[in-house]
Amino acid sequence: MMLNQVIVNLKTRENRFVYLIDGKVEKIYVQQPQFKTTVGNIYLGQVTKVVPGMNAAFVEIGEGKGAYLPREKMASFVRNEGTLEEKKKKSVSSYVKQGERVLVQVMKDAAGPKGAKITGIIEMTGEHIVYMPYGRYVAVSKKINSSTSQKHLRSFGIRIKSEAEGLIFRTSAANCLEEELIKELEVLRQEYKDLEQRATQKKIMLLQENNEFTKQLYYLFQQMKEGEVIVDRVEERKQWQTMFPHLTVSYHQGNEELFSHYHVDTEIEKALKRIVWLSNGAYMIIDQAEAATIIDVNTGKYEGKHQLEHTVFQTNSLAAKEVARQIRLRDLSGIILIDFIDMKVEEEKKVIAIMEKELTADNRQSKVIGFTSLGILQVTRKKTMKSLSETVQSKCTVCEGTGLVKSAESMAFQLERELWEYRNRDIEVVEIKAAQDVHHFFIGEGSIHKKRLEEVLGFAIKIEEAEFPKPDYTIRMVK
């Protein structure tokens, strides 16, 4: 029997939890107060700009940046009685006006210069149902394996909803009585009515805040059939034991910090490393950039016991499972490109099947697109919030996140070019401070380069070594 454990650290401002199966970390979630996600938050906003060329509008929701609202996500667009083609022919100005107050929900956090992405199709999430007052469709979780259950829930949803409403049945709905689902729907309908009542006010405001940390944690608790939860605040221990009686909830009261006590701090460090070793001696290199994440698979120390083809497939199969795990651990999203070791088309199909199976354990929408002609597997995963590295790391102020800086030689040559700009001026001496390696390359053996420059430029060069965080220099004084 597998041992499921969730270790929850709530004592400090940074909230964290780790999910372990038989001692192996399967999920890490960290929420810092400055990076608290707005995804799921519902706002009363005001349209500040309508852009017909983009078929969108920008909405002020009080978060500092104009939030992006696409035409197809406007409540007025969905409520329109025309066909989809007819609605698309109309300008976005037909659906929303500048200065108009709108009820919106955040789909994607603001990132860099971009504001949040929002929708007017409000979703009220319950334990078994997601209710959309203006959704106009019924959907059933793909994780419900029984086609009979899916058909039943779909037809049941059509019966109990109005024409304008939308319903999504979550995985747990398959095990619920119809009466229970109807009762939850009525509760969600009332919650939305309360929101609408509050939205009659004129000022821009946050109407309902979504606590993503608690949401992620509770979702995990609901998915676990049994297991142990360890938390470092006694209030939550009492509350969770009542809410989730199928779990054993205990309070950590020792002086040692919770994550240190259970040796999971090191797991967070591992989840941030560029190189990930596989159990057979092969390894992967994970490079996370703004546009995409690149994962390169290498055989490393693994040579196998059979022919090369068997070794390659064994490594790629193992890597596919670990890639899916790393995607969940690091919370990678967007475009993910995996460079497996070259293999036959039949084996590529098997690797795709492994990836798809492993990603079903993920509660975030993902899709395995397939291999390119260059043998790169393409995967996409919905981005809603910051990844683990974006949460706990920041760009290096020296290299600006590239991992590279100008070499000492390049900086020495740059200094030489800058000094040439002082030629033919009324100058006697230029004083410079430079990093040790820049100083070395600039003056040359026996100060040969420095002496040559002084003769050509017609002034003395006084250069001293100084501490710099990278190969660099400063021209301190010209006189």
Side-chain angles (χ1 to χ4, degrees):
M1 184 180 292
M2 291 190 297
L3 174 63
N4 296 326
Q5 273 187 317
V6 184
I7 300 170
V8 190
N9 174 209
L10 297 175
K11 267 190 174 179
T12 60
R13 289 181 299 157
E14 180 184 67
N15 295 157
R16 309 180 293 175
F17 75 78
V18 172
Y19 175 45
L20 303 98
I21 299 178
D22 288 337
K24 187 176 183 180
V25 176
E26 291 296 324
K27 183 176 179 64
I28 297 171
Y29 192 89
V30 179
Q31 180 178 277
Q32 295 180 346
Q34 75 273 25
F35 292 136
K36 193 173 182 181
T37 182
T38 61
V39 173
N41 284 3
I42 300 174
Y43 295 85
L44 174 62
Q46 182 175 24
V47 178
T48 56
K49 191 175 183 181
V50 180
V51 189
M54 297 174 66
N55 279 322
F58 288 92
V59 179
E60 175 58 48
I61 59 174
E63 298 293 331
K65 297 176 184 175
Y68 177 73
L69 177 62
R71 179 184 61 185
E72 286 73 13
K73 295 295 183 180
M74 295 176 182
S76 52
F77 179 88
V78 176
R79 288 199 299 261
N80 190 286
E81 295 295 333
T83 65
L84 183 61
E85 288 303 315
E86 289 171 343
K87 291 193 284 188
K88 284 186 174 181
K89 287 178 181 177
K90 294 181 181 180
S91 168
V92 66
S93 302
S94 304
Y95 300 103
V96 71
K97 305 293 182 185
Q98 186 172 334
E100 183 180 343
R101 304 282 174 170
V102 287
L103 199 63
V104 292
Q105 189 170 30
V106 177
M107 295 191 295
K108 184 178 177 181
D109 278 324
K114 295 181 181 178
K117 188 175 181 181
I118 56 176
T119 177
I121 319 302
I122 306 300
E123 293 186 357
M124 310 294 291
T125 303
E127 188 176 350
H128 312 296
I129 296 174
V130 177
Y131 168 64
M132 295 166 287
Y134 301 107
R136 288 186 174 272
Y137 69 91
V138 175
V140 180
S141 169
K142 292 179 181 178
K143 293 183 180 181
I144 297 176
N145 297 321
S146 169
S147 58
T148 304
S149 295
Q150 287 188 357
K151 288 178 182 177
H152 171 73
L153 285 171
R154 195 170 279 109
S155 60
F156 171 66
I158 293 170
R159 288 202 319 269
I160 64 173
K161 82 174 191 70
S162 69
E163 185 180 352
E165 291 176 328
L167 295 175
I168 300 174
F169 289 100
R170 305 178 72 183
T171 309
S172 58
N175 303 316
C176 293
L177 297 173
E178 289 187 357
E179 293 80 6
E180 189 179 352
L181 296 174
I182 291 172
K183 185 178 180 180
E184 183 174 306
L185 175 59
E186 289 303 321
V187 170
L188 294 173
R189 280 172 172 158
Q190 187 57 49
E191 283 184 16
Y192 182 71
K193 286 180 182 177
D194 294 342
L195 272 181
E196 280 191 313
Q197 182 62 37
R198 291 166 60 200
T200 55
Q201 300 185 47
K202 291 184 178 181
K203 64 178 181 179
I204 296 167
M205 63 185 298
L206 171 64
L207 294 172
Q208 182 173 300
E209 186 173 12
N210 176 49
N211 189 327
E212 191 63 27
F213 183 86
T214 302
K215 182 180 175 181
Q216 292 278 340
L217 194 58
Y218 285 7
Y219 177 83
L220 179 57
F221 290 167
Q222 289 161 2
Q223 298 304 304
M224 294 167 62
K225 293 180 180 178
E226 59 182 0
E228 180 185 19
V229 178
I230 304 155
V231 63
D232 58 3
R233 278 208 319 214
V234 70
E235 299 92 338
E236 278 72 15
R237 190 208 71 78
K238 295 175 181 177
Q239 181 185 3
W240 294 348
Q241 191 63 81
T242 303
M243 292 175 65
F244 307 100
H246 64 291
L247 302 174
T248 301
V249 185
S250 58
Y251 168 58
H252 173 74
Q253 52 186 335
N255 292 327
E256 188 178 11
E257 197 274 325
L258 181 62
F259 272 32
S260 297
H261 181 78
Y262 287 95
H263 309 292
V264 291
D265 258 330
T266 54
E267 294 299 328
I268 295 178
E269 293 175 14
K270 285 181 184 178
L272 297 170
K273 286 186 176 180
R274 184 169 177 254
I275 296 178
V276 177
W277 288 95
L278 304 178
S279 59
N280 68 348
Y283 66 94
M284 305 185 307
I285 297 175
I286 302 176
D287 285 320
Q288 189 178 346
E290 197 165 330
T293 298
I294 315 294
I295 302 176
D296 185 28
V297 181
N298 299 276
T299 52
K301 302 171 185 176
Y302 182 58
E303 297 177 354
K305 297 178 181 179
H306 305 284
Q307 67 268 34
L308 177 62
E309 287 181 7
H310 181 76
T311 299
V312 168
F313 181 66
Q314 287 291 94
T315 299
N316 284 339
S317 300
L318 194 61
K321 294 177 182 178
E322 185 60 28
V323 165
R325 177 173 173 266
Q326 290 295 326
I327 286 173
R328 296 193 301 271
L329 274 182
R330 298 170 188 246
D331 214 352
L332 302 175
S333 56
I335 300 169
I336 303 167
L337 304 174
I338 307 145
D339 186 8
F340 287 100
I341 305 163
D342 290 343
M343 54 187 157
K344 293 180 179 179
V345 175
E346 296 78 18
E347 292 174 339
E348 286 183 350
K349 291 177 181 177
K350 292 178 182 178
V351 167
I352 288 174
I354 292 170
M355 282 292 298
E356 288 176 336
K357 180 183 177 183
E358 293 296 320
L359 287 172
T360 56
D362 190 10
N363 65 343
R364 190 88 63 80
Q365 182 182 342
S366 57
K367 187 175 182 181
V368 181
I369 307 297
F371 281 90
T372 68
S373 57
L374 296 175
I376 308 294
L377 182 62
Q378 305 169 93
V379 176
T380 63
R381 186 170 183 256
K382 187 177 180 181
K383 182 178 179 72
T384 58
M385 61 195 76
K386 294 179 182 291
S387 68
L388 179 65
S389 67
E390 290 172 317
T391 302
V392 302
Q393 293 179 320
S394 61
K395 280 187 178 180
C396 169
T397 56
V398 174
C399 70
E400 292 297 325
T402 66
L404 300 168
V405 295
K406 276 191 175 182
S407 66
E409 295 95 324
S410 294
M411 294 306 296
F413 297 145
Q414 180 177 309
L415 173 57
E416 187 174 334
R417 288 192 296 272
E418 194 169 341
L419 289 174
W420 270 88
E421 295 178 7
Y422 292 102
R423 190 184 183 194
N424 299 323
R425 296 189 189 180
D426 187 18
I427 294 171
E428 292 184 7
V429 62
V430 174
E431 295 183 4
I432 302 162
K433 288 190 180 293
Q436 183 180 20
D437 46 3
V438 175
H439 176 271
H440 171 74
F441 284 110
F442 177 78
I443 66 173
E445 291 295 328
S447 295
I448 184 172
H449 300 320
K450 174 177 171 290
K451 290 174 182 176
R452 177 183 57 81
L453 267 177
E454 287 175 327
E455 290 176 7
V456 174
L457 300 177
F459 53 78
I461 299 171
K462 184 179 179 182
I463 183 167
E464 297 178 358
E465 290 183 7
E467 292 290 331
F468 285 87
K470 62 174 181 175
D472 207 350
Y473 66 85
T474 57
I475 297 177
R476 303 281 296 172
M477 190 178 295
V478 179
K479 56 187 179 180

